[in-house]
Amino acid sequence: MSWTDERVELLKKMWGEGQSASQIAKELGGVTRNAVIGKVHRLGLSNRAGGAAPAAAAPAAPKAAPAAPAAAPKPKPKAEAKPRPAPEPETAKAEDDDNTPRTMPAVPAVSTRRQIIPAGQPLPPQPSANEISPEALAKVNEVEKKAKRISLMELTEKTCKWPIGDPATEDFWFCGLGTQTGKPYCEAHVGVAFQPMSSRRDRRR
DNA sequence: CCCTGATTCGC
DNA sequence: GCGAATCAGG
């Protein structure tokens, strides 16, 4: 695959939206996240595009010894910050000693863009209304005690996506335990999600 | 371990 | 220019 105009454009767009390199790579197809990152850098997209503060930190630039106590601003050549065009109400980052991770955009890009929302798989009926094998149910109850209680944004392809609680309230989270191979849920929840289609219904034969 | 982006360097 | 390998962090 080569970097056609369209692909580059999509790359720019997604990167600008704060999508991760791997997501972009996956979307584009035929490239790895390394390729995406490499391209991003070559395009000069890695830092703020706005043209402000061209503090070019040349890779070959010698590490200046911190010997300027007077007005030593902050010899932090590590280019960081997201090129988020949208106005950011967030407090300006004064110091970056212990800032929050940049993986979570202040402005959620989940609005119009289908994201990591679980789909395709059958959504689980809440156990409350259903009759499920007592064993599985007991298992689930047990599991829910030690569930990781992750949020929507924390879901990955490897976290159990079984919703627990009421989505309309704050009493809502996702199981978050490790998924069973391939399945969208952990072992316990797979147990209740994929019923063998015979609990006691057609038991005769 | 999973993930993230950053950099290097042979091609 | 490209991207795998590697590095550095969370």
Side-chain angles (χ1 to χ4, degrees):
Chain A
M1 278 294 190
S2 58
W3 286 109
T4 64
D5 214 34
E6 301 170 18
R7 288 164 66 78
V8 170
E9 222 176 296
L10 182 54
L11 164 62
K12 285 181 182 173
K13 183 191 171 197
M14 292 183 74
W15 185 262
E17 287 175 7
Q19 308 276 329
S20 72
S22 58
Q23 281 179 310
I24 298 172
K26 188 180 165 188
E27 177 75 25
L28 286 170
V31 286
T32 64
R33 73 176 197 92
N34 284 303
V36 169
I37 292 174
K39 185 61 179 174
V40 162
H41 277 231
R42 267 172 256 125
L43 287 171
L45 262 50
S46 49
N47 50 27
R48 305 196 160 163
K63 300 298 179 185
K74 184 139 57 80
K76 190 92 175 191
K78 281 300 172 193
E80 200 65 27
K82 297 267 102 170
R84 201 145 34 255
E88 198 163 353
E90 198 178 56
T91 306
K93 40 273 151 212
E95 293 294 329
D96 61 28
D97 203 30
D98 196 40
N99 54 13
T100 45
R102 69 291 194 201
T103 47
M104 261 298 298
V107 180
V110 196
S111 327
T112 60
R113 191 159 268 288
R114 42 103 191 80
Q115 202 87 318
I116 54 226
I117 316 286
Q121 250 71 19
L123 287 179
Q126 284 305 300
S128 45
N130 248 299
E131 40 185 309
I132 301 171
S133 6
E135 306 110 28
L137 225 175
K139 210 171 182 180
V140 166
N141 283 330
E142 212 174 302
V143 164
E144 291 189 5
K145 285 185 219 160
K146 64 179 183 182
K148 302 188 74 172
R149 300 197 173 200
I150 64 175
S151 71
L152 179 64
M153 296 89 73
E154 293 172 305
L155 287 177
T156 75
E157 282 145 18
K158 303 182 189 56
T159 59
C160 177
K161 300 167 189 62
W162 188 275
I164 299 171
D166 188 345
T169 71
E170 291 199 355
D171 191 35
F172 179 68
W173 60 84
F174 292 89
C175 171
L177 295 176
T179 55
Q180 203 72 352
T181 13
K183 303 296 199 319
Y185 310 119
C186 68
E187 182 188 352
H189 286 134
V190 163
V192 298
F194 302 101
Q195 285 294 302
M197 109 183 176
S198 63
S199 291
R200 63 151 190 270
R201 186 60 171 240
D202 45 31
R203 195 45 205 268
R204 48 126 175 235
R205 194 206 221 262

PDB file of all heavy atoms in Angstrom, chain A residues 143-161:
ATOM      1  N   VAL A 143     -18.804 -13.139  39.661  1.00  0.00           N
ATOM      2  CA  VAL A 143     -17.888 -12.356  38.835  1.00  0.00           C
ATOM      3  C   VAL A 143     -18.125 -10.863  38.991  1.00  0.00           C
ATOM      4  O   VAL A 143     -17.200 -10.066  39.047  1.00  0.00           O
ATOM      5  CB  VAL A 143     -18.037 -12.750  37.355  1.00  0.00           C
ATOM      6  CG1 VAL A 143     -17.408 -11.706  36.464  1.00  0.00           C
ATOM      7  CG2 VAL A 143     -17.387 -14.104  37.115  1.00  0.00           C
ATOM      8  N   GLU A 144     -19.373 -10.513  39.076  1.00  0.00           N
ATOM      9  CA  GLU A 144     -19.682  -9.081  39.148  1.00  0.00           C
ATOM     10  C   GLU A 144     -19.107  -8.431  40.392  1.00  0.00           C
ATOM     11  O   GLU A 144     -18.943  -7.221  40.458  1.00  0.00           O
ATOM     12  CB  GLU A 144     -21.199  -8.883  39.093  1.00  0.00           C
ATOM     13  CG  GLU A 144     -21.753  -9.233  37.715  1.00  0.00           C
ATOM     14  CD  GLU A 144     -23.211  -8.839  37.589  1.00  0.00           C
ATOM     15  OE1 GLU A 144     -23.737  -8.228  38.520  1.00  0.00           O
ATOM     16  OE2 GLU A 144     -23.798  -9.151  36.543  1.00  0.00           O
ATOM     17  N   LYS A 145     -18.834  -9.263  41.344  1.00  0.00           N
ATOM     18  CA  LYS A 145     -18.233  -8.703  42.558  1.00  0.00           C
ATOM     19  C   LYS A 145     -16.806  -8.259  42.309  1.00  0.00           C
ATOM     20  O   LYS A 145     -16.341  -7.275  42.853  1.00  0.00           O
ATOM     21  CB  LYS A 145     -18.243  -9.763  43.657  1.00  0.00           C
ATOM     22  CG  LYS A 145     -19.618  -9.981  44.248  1.00  0.00           C
ATOM     23  CD  LYS A 145     -19.521 -10.973  45.419  1.00  0.00           C
ATOM     24  CE  LYS A 145     -20.710 -11.915  45.430  1.00  0.00           C
ATOM     25  NZ  LYS A 145     -20.395 -13.126  46.213  1.00  0.00           N
ATOM     26  N   LYS A 146     -16.145  -9.018  41.476  1.00  0.00           N
ATOM     27  CA  LYS A 146     -14.753  -8.681  41.224  1.00  0.00           C
ATOM     28  C   LYS A 146     -14.545  -8.075  39.840  1.00  0.00           C
ATOM     29  O   LYS A 146     -13.442  -7.985  39.346  1.00  0.00           O
ATOM     30  CB  LYS A 146     -13.885  -9.924  41.366  1.00  0.00           C
ATOM     31  CG  LYS A 146     -14.211 -10.979  40.346  1.00  0.00           C
ATOM     32  CD  LYS A 146     -13.306 -12.204  40.510  1.00  0.00           C
ATOM     33  CE  LYS A 146     -13.588 -13.220  39.433  1.00  0.00           C
ATOM     34  NZ  LYS A 146     -12.770 -14.419  39.586  1.00  0.00           N
ATOM     35  N   ALA A 147     -15.631  -7.686  39.231  1.00  0.00           N
ATOM     36  CA  ALA A 147     -15.530  -7.047  37.922  1.00  0.00           C
ATOM     37  C   ALA A 147     -14.694  -5.792  38.041  1.00  0.00           C
ATOM     38  O   ALA A 147     -14.610  -5.176  39.101  1.00  0.00           O
ATOM     39  CB  ALA A 147     -16.923  -6.709  37.403  1.00  0.00           C
ATOM     40  N   LYS A 148     -14.112  -5.437  36.960  1.00  0.00           N
ATOM     41  CA  LYS A 148     -13.207  -4.292  36.996  1.00  0.00           C
ATOM     42  C   LYS A 148     -13.940  -2.963  36.952  1.00  0.00           C
ATOM     43  O   LYS A 148     -13.374  -1.922  37.201  1.00  0.00           O
ATOM     44  CB  LYS A 148     -12.225  -4.378  35.827  1.00  0.00           C
ATOM     45  CG  LYS A 148     -11.447  -5.671  35.875  1.00  0.00           C
ATOM     46  CD  LYS A 148     -10.344  -5.667  34.851  1.00  0.00           C
ATOM     47  CE  LYS A 148      -9.210  -4.777  35.282  1.00  0.00           C
ATOM     48  NZ  LYS A 148      -8.052  -4.887  34.406  1.00  0.00           N
ATOM     49  N   ARG A 149     -15.175  -3.016  36.609  1.00  0.00           N
ATOM     50  CA  ARG A 149     -15.999  -1.799  36.559  1.00  0.00           C
ATOM     51  C   ARG A 149     -15.390  -0.725  35.665  1.00  0.00           C
ATOM     52  O   ARG A 149     -15.118   0.398  36.088  1.00  0.00           O
ATOM     53  CB  ARG A 149     -16.182  -1.217  37.952  1.00  0.00           C
ATOM     54  CG  ARG A 149     -16.865  -2.184  38.875  1.00  0.00           C
ATOM     55  CD  ARG A 149     -17.396  -1.467  40.081  1.00  0.00           C
ATOM     56  NE  ARG A 149     -18.193  -2.377  40.898  1.00  0.00           N
ATOM     57  CZ  ARG A 149     -19.081  -1.972  41.789  1.00  0.00           C
ATOM     58  NH1 ARG A 149     -19.256  -0.680  41.960  1.00  0.00           N
ATOM     59  NH2 ARG A 149     -19.764  -2.814  42.475  1.00  0.00           N
ATOM     60  N   ILE A 150     -15.165  -1.094  34.471  1.00  0.00           N
ATOM     61  CA  ILE A 150     -14.553  -0.139  33.552  1.00  0.00           C
ATOM     62  C   ILE A 150     -15.619   0.667  32.837  1.00  0.00           C
ATOM     63  O   ILE A 150     -16.773   0.262  32.762  1.00  0.00           O
ATOM     64  CB  ILE A 150     -13.677  -0.863  32.523  1.00  0.00           C
ATOM     65  CG1 ILE A 150     -14.528  -1.773  31.651  1.00  0.00           C
ATOM     66  CG2 ILE A 150     -12.594  -1.667  33.216  1.00  0.00           C
ATOM     67  CD1 ILE A 150     -13.730  -2.416  30.555  1.00  0.00           C
ATOM     68  N   SER A 151     -15.188   1.787  32.326  1.00  0.00           N
ATOM     69  CA  SER A 151     -16.132   2.657  31.639  1.00  0.00           C
ATOM     70  C   SER A 151     -16.163   2.331  30.156  1.00  0.00           C
ATOM     71  O   SER A 151     -15.375   1.531  29.666  1.00  0.00           O
ATOM     72  CB  SER A 151     -15.729   4.117  31.827  1.00  0.00           C
ATOM     73  OG  SER A 151     -14.559   4.368  31.081  1.00  0.00           O
ATOM     74  N   LEU A 152     -17.068   2.984  29.503  1.00  0.00           N
ATOM     75  CA  LEU A 152     -17.254   2.731  28.074  1.00  0.00           C
ATOM     76  C   LEU A 152     -15.973   2.943  27.291  1.00  0.00           C
ATOM     77  O   LEU A 152     -15.616   2.184  26.414  1.00  0.00           O
ATOM     78  CB  LEU A 152     -18.347   3.664  27.546  1.00  0.00           C
ATOM     79  CG  LEU A 152     -18.657   3.534  26.055  1.00  0.00           C
ATOM     80  CD1 LEU A 152     -19.218   2.159  25.754  1.00  0.00           C
ATOM     81  CD2 LEU A 152     -19.640   4.605  25.641  1.00  0.00           C
ATOM     82  N   MET A 153     -15.289   4.000  27.652  1.00  0.00           N
ATOM     83  CA  MET A 153     -14.085   4.335  26.891  1.00  0.00           C
ATOM     84  C   MET A 153     -12.955   3.357  27.139  1.00  0.00           C
ATOM     85  O   MET A 153     -11.996   3.332  26.409  1.00  0.00           O
ATOM     86  CB  MET A 153     -13.604   5.744  27.236  1.00  0.00           C
ATOM     87  CG  MET A 153     -14.587   6.819  26.846  1.00  0.00           C
ATOM     88  SD  MET A 153     -15.736   7.131  28.174  1.00  0.00           S
ATOM     89  CE  MET A 153     -14.713   8.005  29.325  1.00  0.00           C
ATOM     90  N   GLU A 154     -13.107   2.618  28.175  1.00  0.00           N
ATOM     91  CA  GLU A 154     -12.015   1.702  28.509  1.00  0.00           C
ATOM     92  C   GLU A 154     -12.158   0.336  27.847  1.00  0.00           C
ATOM     93  O   GLU A 154     -11.298  -0.507  27.990  1.00  0.00           O
ATOM     94  CB  GLU A 154     -11.930   1.535  30.023  1.00  0.00           C
ATOM     95  CG  GLU A 154     -11.508   2.796  30.720  1.00  0.00           C
ATOM     96  CD  GLU A 154     -11.616   2.680  32.229  1.00  0.00           C
ATOM     97  OE1 GLU A 154     -12.704   2.358  32.711  1.00  0.00           O
ATOM     98  OE2 GLU A 154     -10.614   2.893  32.893  1.00  0.00           O
ATOM     99  N   LEU A 155     -13.239   0.163  27.169  1.00  0.00           N
ATOM    100  CA  LEU A 155     -13.471  -1.126  26.519  1.00  0.00           C
ATOM    101  C   LEU A 155     -12.473  -1.346  25.400  1.00  0.00           C
ATOM    102  O   LEU A 155     -12.177  -0.436  24.632  1.00  0.00           O
ATOM    103  CB  LEU A 155     -14.887  -1.160  25.933  1.00  0.00           C
ATOM    104  CG  LEU A 155     -16.024  -1.289  26.939  1.00  0.00           C
ATOM    105  CD1 LEU A 155     -17.343  -1.232  26.218  1.00  0.00           C
ATOM    106  CD2 LEU A 155     -15.906  -2.567  27.731  1.00  0.00           C
ATOM    107  N   THR A 156     -11.972  -2.533  25.341  1.00  0.00           N
ATOM    108  CA  THR A 156     -11.129  -2.909  24.214  1.00  0.00           C
ATOM    109  C   THR A 156     -11.648  -4.238  23.693  1.00  0.00           C
ATOM    110  O   THR A 156     -12.651  -4.750  24.170  1.00  0.00           O
ATOM    111  CB  THR A 156      -9.661  -3.069  24.625  1.00  0.00           C
ATOM    112  OG1 THR A 156      -9.519  -4.302  25.346  1.00  0.00           O
ATOM    113  CG2 THR A 156      -9.206  -1.923  25.487  1.00  0.00           C
ATOM    114  N   GLU A 157     -10.924  -4.762  22.755  1.00  0.00           N
ATOM    115  CA  GLU A 157     -11.372  -6.030  22.216  1.00  0.00           C
ATOM    116  C   GLU A 157     -11.100  -7.169  23.183  1.00  0.00           C
ATOM    117  O   GLU A 157     -11.489  -8.288  22.965  1.00  0.00           O
ATOM    118  CB  GLU A 157     -10.665  -6.296  20.889  1.00  0.00           C
ATOM    119  CG  GLU A 157     -11.293  -5.496  19.755  1.00  0.00           C
ATOM    120  CD  GLU A 157     -10.250  -5.058  18.744  1.00  0.00           C
ATOM    121  OE1 GLU A 157      -9.165  -5.631  18.739  1.00  0.00           O
ATOM    122  OE2 GLU A 157     -10.545  -4.130  17.974  1.00  0.00           O
ATOM    123  N   LYS A 158     -10.426  -6.851  24.231  1.00  0.00           N
ATOM    124  CA  LYS A 158     -10.075  -7.916  25.156  1.00  0.00           C
ATOM    125  C   LYS A 158     -10.727  -7.766  26.521  1.00  0.00           C
ATOM    126  O   LYS A 158     -10.401  -8.464  27.450  1.00  0.00           O
ATOM    127  CB  LYS A 158      -8.561  -7.956  25.327  1.00  0.00           C
ATOM    128  CG  LYS A 158      -7.828  -8.146  24.044  1.00  0.00           C
ATOM    129  CD  LYS A 158      -6.340  -8.230  24.289  1.00  0.00           C
ATOM    130  CE  LYS A 158      -5.612  -8.204  22.964  1.00  0.00           C
ATOM    131  NZ  LYS A 158      -5.970  -7.014  22.173  1.00  0.00           N
ATOM    132  N   THR A 159     -11.609  -6.792  26.622  1.00  0.00           N
ATOM    133  CA  THR A 159     -12.284  -6.617  27.899  1.00  0.00           C
ATOM    134  C   THR A 159     -13.732  -7.031  27.765  1.00  0.00           C
ATOM    135  O   THR A 159     -14.381  -6.730  26.764  1.00  0.00           O
ATOM    136  CB  THR A 159     -12.227  -5.146  28.337  1.00  0.00           C
ATOM    137  OG1 THR A 159     -12.843  -4.340  27.349  1.00  0.00           O
ATOM    138  CG2 THR A 159     -10.798  -4.695  28.538  1.00  0.00           C
ATOM    139  N   CYS A 160     -14.200  -7.679  28.766  1.00  0.00           N
ATOM    140  CA  CYS A 160     -15.593  -8.125  28.760  1.00  0.00           C
ATOM    141  C   CYS A 160     -16.515  -6.924  28.666  1.00  0.00           C
ATOM    142  O   CYS A 160     -16.423  -5.979  29.439  1.00  0.00           O
ATOM    143  CB  CYS A 160     -15.899  -8.907  30.037  1.00  0.00           C
ATOM    144  SG  CYS A 160     -17.625  -9.437  30.152  1.00  0.00           S
ATOM    145  N   LYS A 161     -17.434  -6.978  27.705  1.00  0.00           N
ATOM    146  CA  LYS A 161     -18.296  -5.832  27.445  1.00  0.00           C
ATOM    147  C   LYS A 161     -19.667  -6.006  28.061  1.00  0.00           C
ATOM    148  O   LYS A 161     -20.642  -5.407  27.629  1.00  0.00           O
ATOM    149  CB  LYS A 161     -18.425  -5.614  25.937  1.00  0.00           C
ATOM    150  CG  LYS A 161     -17.090  -5.347  25.289  1.00  0.00           C
ATOM    151  CD  LYS A 161     -17.170  -5.435  23.789  1.00  0.00           C
ATOM    152  CE  LYS A 161     -15.792  -5.386  23.163  1.00  0.00           C
ATOM    153  NZ  LYS A 161     -14.958  -6.532  23.592  1.00  0.00           N
TER     154      LYS A 161
END
